[in-house]
């Protein structure tokens, strides 16, 4: 991709736009995607991403993927929703940098779809694809306890369990308790999706339940999803493509 390629910010709209197939297919070969493996802590996001970097690299062979974890630079002791939203905006900028290199970004992140779409600059991304990595609550608790870190108190683990429950509903229904993420950082652009309703094609998030499943099985399913979304991008049919939301 040319680093001087001009970009136009899309106007916020109430729902996913229905473009003609001919228009959607125009200039799709140079478009990249921000892939987000979302979900609350303990679901298996990072384990899947690491497997795809190592033993399971063949599952995503041929794709130009940069791979990172949302928290890789550390999490401050006082991290809150405002910190998460500001950090998310920084990852959007990183994704835009990778676009200029012709590369997709695969990001494991406890980062809800509503925050991703409202991030400053998100409407400039060529494409966004988000899945929810989830697991049963008792298994999440055991996984987090197994990390054996002093900060993982029962109270903090409970917060992760509650946030997981909210995310299940949020990713199914954009109107479910949006106040959980609203009004924390004033730079967010919430109107991009606040009028969307359940069933909107731009709010379609597949769920990968990792409960009782070896990481290689979960990673295989996620890799298949990444390939499906890449093919949709190539056809100009990715739901969250620039200009379509």
């Amino acid at each position: 991709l040319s680093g001087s390629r001009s970009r136009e910010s899309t106007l916020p709209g109430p729902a996913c736009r229905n473009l003609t197939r001919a228009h959607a297919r125009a200039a799709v070969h140079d478009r990249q995607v921000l892939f987000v493996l979302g979900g609350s802590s303990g679901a298996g996001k990072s384990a899947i991403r690491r497997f795809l970097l190592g033993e399971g690299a063949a599952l995503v062979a041929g794709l130009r993927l940069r791979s990172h974890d949302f928290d890789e630079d550390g999490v401050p002791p006082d991290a809150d929703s405002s910190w998460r939203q500001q950090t998310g905006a920084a990852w959007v900028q990183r994704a835009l940098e990778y676009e200029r290199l012709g590369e997709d970004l695969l990001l494991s992140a406890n980062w809800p779809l509503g925050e991703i779409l409202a991030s400053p600059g998100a409407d400039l991304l060529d494409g966004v694809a988000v899945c929810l990595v989830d697991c049963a609550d008792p298994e999440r608790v055991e996984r987090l306890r197994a990390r054996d870190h002093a900060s993982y108190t029962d109270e903090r683990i409970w917060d992760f369990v509650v946030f997981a429950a909210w995310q299940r509903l949020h990713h199914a229904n954009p109107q479910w308790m949006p106040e959980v993420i609203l009004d924390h950082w004033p730079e967010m652009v919430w109107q991009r999706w606040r009028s969307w309703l359940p069933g909107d094609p731009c709010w379609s998030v597949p769920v990968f339940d990792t409960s009782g499943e070896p990481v290689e099985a979960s990673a295989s399913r996620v890799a298949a999803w990444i390939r499906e979304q890449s093919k949709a991008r190539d056809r100009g049919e990715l739901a969250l493509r620039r200009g379509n939301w």
Side-chain angles (χ1 to χ4, degrees), residues 42 134-143 161 168 209-212:
D134 200 9
C135 68
D137 291 335
E139 187 159 347
R140 186 186 308 274
V141 170
E142 292 309 310
R143 290 176 182 180
V161 170
R168 290 179 194 121
D209 188 342
T210 65
S211 303

Side-chain angles (χ1 to χ4, degrees), residues 141-218:
V141 170
E142 292 309 310
R143 290 176 182 180
L144 294 174
R145 282 179 172 167
R147 294 182 181 181
D148 195 24
H149 192 282
S151 67
Y152 283 89
T153 62
D154 286 348
E155 289 76 14
R156 189 180 184 203
I157 290 174
W158 175 244
D159 287 341
F160 289 135
V161 170
V162 171
F163 199 43
W166 177 81
Q167 288 197 60
R168 290 179 194 121
L169 290 163
H170 171 71
H171 288 101
N173 178 2
Q175 298 301 320
W176 176 259
M177 295 185 67
E179 62 271 17
V180 169
I181 56 175
L182 300 180
D183 301 326
H184 294 287
W185 186 43
E187 299 302 313
M188 301 291 276
V189 190
W190 303 109
Q191 63 265 32
R192 288 180 185 149
W193 60 266
R194 282 290 290 114
S195 63
W196 294 5
L197 298 173
D200 191 297
C202 282
W203 200 275
S204 178
V205 180
V207 179
F208 296 104
D209 188 342
T210 65
S211 303
E213 185 173 64
V215 65
E216 53 266 28
S218 300

Side-chain angles (χ1 to χ4, degrees), residues 43-236:
K45 309 180 299 296
S46 297
I48 290 170
R49 187 185 62 82
R50 287 193 298 266
F51 185 84
L52 293 176
L53 273 178
E55 291 180 61
L59 295 170
V60 290
L63 301 177
R64 298 193 64 187
L65 282 174
R66 290 292 188 107
S67 180
H68 291 277
D69 186 81
F70 190 90
D71 299 338
E72 66 186 27
D73 291 328
V75 180
D78 59 348
D80 56 10
S81 295
S82 178
W83 172 84
R84 186 180 63 246
Q85 291 169 8
Q86 292 179 65
T87 303
W91 279 114
V92 167
Q93 293 306 309
R94 182 83 70 90
L96 289 168
E97 292 172 9
Y98 286 144
E99 280 187 8
R100 290 189 281 273
L101 299 174
E103 296 173 325
D104 299 327
L105 171 58
L106 175 63
L107 187 67
S108 52
N110 189 357
W111 192 21
L113 178 58
E115 288 188 348
I116 296 169
L117 299 184
S119 291
D123 58 335
L124 298 178
L125 290 165
D126 282 343
V128 178
V130 180
C131 70
L132 178 65
V133 182
D134 200 9
C135 68
D137 291 335
E139 187 159 347
R140 186 186 308 274
V141 170
E142 292 309 310
R143 290 176 182 180
L144 294 174
R145 282 179 172 167
R147 294 182 181 181
D148 195 24
H149 192 282
S151 67
Y152 283 89
T153 62
D154 286 348
E155 289 76 14
R156 189 180 184 203
I157 290 174
W158 175 244
D159 287 341
F160 289 135
V161 170
V162 171
F163 199 43
W166 177 81
Q167 288 197 60
R168 290 179 194 121
L169 290 163
H170 171 71
H171 288 101
N173 178 2
Q175 298 301 320
W176 176 259
M177 295 185 67
E179 62 271 17
V180 169
I181 56 175
L182 300 180
D183 301 326
H184 294 287
W185 186 43
E187 299 302 313
M188 301 291 276
V189 190
W190 303 109
Q191 63 265 32
R192 288 180 185 149
W193 60 266
R194 282 290 290 114
S195 63
W196 294 5
L197 298 173
D200 191 297
C202 282
W203 200 275
S204 178
V205 180
V207 179
F208 296 104
D209 188 342
T210 65
S211 303
E213 185 173 64
V215 65
E216 53 266 28
S218 300
S220 179
R221 292 193 290 133
V222 168
W225 168 75
I226 291 172
R227 288 194 176 279
E228 288 170 2
Q229 296 303 300
S230 296
K231 290 177 181 177
R233 177 265 315 278
D234 294 342
R235 296 192 302 268

